Amino acid sequence: MRTTLQPGRGLHRAWIVAAVAFVAILGAAGFRATPGVLITPLQEEFGWSRGTISLAVSVNLMLYGLIAPFAAALMDRFGMRRVVTYALLLVAAGSGLTIWMDAPWQLLMCWGVMVGLGTGSMALVFAATLTERWFVRHRGLVTGVLTAAGATGQLVFLPLLAHLAEGSGWRTAALTVALCALVVVPLVWFLLRDRPEDVGTTALGADPAAPPPARPAPGTRPGNAASRALGVLRSAARTRPFWLLAGGFAICGMSTNGLVGTHFIPAAHDHGMAQPVAAGLLALIGIFDVVGTVASGWLSDRIDSRLLLGAYYGLRGLSLLALPSLFGDSAEPSMLVFIVFYGLDWVATVPPTVALCRQIYGPDGGVVFGWVFASHQIGAAVAATAAGITRDQFGAYDLAWYAAGALCLAAAVMSLAIARRRSGDHAGGPDAGPGDPEGRPGGPVVRPGDASVRPDGPDGRPGDPVVRSAGHPDDVGEHAALRGEPLR
């Protein structure tokens, strides 16, 4: 017999789970971004070029994104608690082992591979999995807050780590990251639970009388999840909107994590600014990022997401074109204006990108966004290495800033070119399938026993059947998006 905690009696367990996830995601993002404050100290101690150091950062960024589409399969097989716990231990090991390194390949393995895999397992897919299982009411709000944690954590950690690296040495900063990761482990292990029914309750806002969601059969879901991720990629890759979204989001990664997040501090140091001051400016970006992300989520329910993306990318491009002239040995008012403006725009692109994925691809929108997010990190990885090589070859980052600005303007055009469903095209209702190659609505989603197929691909061949297993996460928010209603 299953006991259920009735809503309204004290703090719902979902909020405790969300708070633990917030701490884990905040820390994971901070751990991933730490190499940004280590570039100059490592260069000074070992004589490694910035291109060499940036390669490790690129591997870190790429793994952080590429593991996202498959992390859900690991969480289905082993549970969120185990996966996040082991990920934190991997981060602690990768960071701690760097104090004994003396060769670039060791930096690549520790900060690139180990920390990249660990933090990637706690990226946006963790937030999406948690909110899907634990929240019906306030799902959008919690998703936005956890997204902001991921974007802000990498920035708020930097001032402390920069002070430690400058005062006590980079090894102290690396050990601090390892210690912080270990401190979070007990919180995750003792307070995080995989599903509401594990503690005799229901998801926040769910009907207590409703049966719990069906669980996958042991040993079957991981392969299915991985196969579904790859199948959705094959299907989406035949459509034009996917490449426009992925291309724009790759440029987003280039201009944020890859360039500003990795090279802003060493670039400012080149102009005489102290590293702690530069790290403090990045922390300010993180503070304003929270405001920008929440506001973008609110706007994406009310304004065409294509217009929002076009505005965000266009304004970001103009600000990056102006950045080289703003650097100096101190934080002048013009630089502070850039920090505030750029902070508001840092990950404001996420809510409208998620909204477009759901509107165009229906129930597969979450998985499609996982692949779009992977393109974000691939773009970040390319920019991190390219900017380091640019600095090595030309002695300055100016070319990198100008190139990123121009690419952002191109991303604005790409976003505006995304075809959107026409009004009245939602007749398919909640079972409407993904759109055709131009983003127009498709036919019905095929359930087990149905004989329908996806819309034809761009080459005229029939698409693959869309088969849903029991318990597929066709949540209320996704259905609302298909009907043209605001996501809740």
Side-chain angles (χ1 to χ4, degrees), residues 210-223:
R215 297 195 184 210
T220 60
R221 182 63 182 272

Side-chain angles (χ1 to χ4, degrees), residues 39 48 51 83 133-134 190 217 248 271 297 355 361 375 392 422 477 488:
I39 290 178
W48 301 337
V83 171
R133 294 180 181 180
W134 279 91
F190 291 109
H271 290 80
Y361 298 101
S375 75
D392 289 338
R422 298 165 298 190
R488 293 185 293 274

